[in-house]
Amino acid sequence: MAKVLGLGGIFFKAEDPKAVRDWYARVLGFEVHDWGGAVFEAPKASQATWSPFAADTDYFAPSAAPFMINFIVDDIDGILARAAAEGVEPLGRQDEGYGRFAWLMDPAGVKIELWEAAKADPEA
């Protein structure tokens, strides 16, 4: 049966894609490639791609809905320290039994959700 296997990428409009790419590289540590995006290796030989598009792209038509991007992180405190060093403060933080969350706003006005999965209980 045909089915979706996972996320293939995040593509969005930005007034200044270069400034957005530079912000993600500085603040979140993205390795932005010459073609303008970042690739994240995922389990089982799949990947997710990140790439801002020019503000006038028609690629997303007909939707003009706002959105939020969630990134899985390995060290939320380290990411937030890096962000703070760049003058970026979190919009909020929340710890749940299944993980820790924090939110940032990027220079394109996109809300970013950071999620660090809860560590497995070594006694379980």
Side-chain angles (χ1 to χ4, degrees):
M1 177 173 217
K3 63 181 179 179
V4 173
L5 300 176
L7 177 66
I10 299 169
F11 310 99
F12 61 95
K13 300 175 183 181
E15 290 294 328
D16 187 345
K18 182 183 180 327
V20 173
R21 287 189 288 268
D22 292 348
W23 185 90
Y24 276 83
R26 282 191 334 274
V27 175
L28 297 180
F30 279 31
E31 181 182 339
V32 178
H33 298 276
D34 291 341
W35 53 267
V39 176
F40 304 98
E41 296 301 324
K44 299 182 183 178
S46 65
Q47 66 183 26
T49 302
W50 172 92
S51 181
F53 282 62
D56 62 351
T57 186
D58 292 329
Y59 195 75
F60 307 106
S63 177
F67 59 93
M68 182 175 72
I69 303 171
N70 173 284
F71 293 110
I72 301 168
V73 300
D74 63 351
D75 176 7
I76 202 164
D77 294 322
I79 294 285
L80 292 175
R82 179 184 197 137
E86 291 292 332
V88 178
E89 294 299 324
L91 300 171
R93 293 191 62 165
Q94 185 174 337
D95 292 349
E96 298 290 342
Y98 52 90
R100 303 171 68 204
F101 295 86
W103 296 270
L104 305 173
M105 191 70 73
D106 82 4
V110 176
K111 187 175 182 181
I112 305 300
E113 181 177 68
L114 306 174
W115 174 57
E116 179 184 348
K119 305 293 185 239
D121 184 353
E123 297 180 18

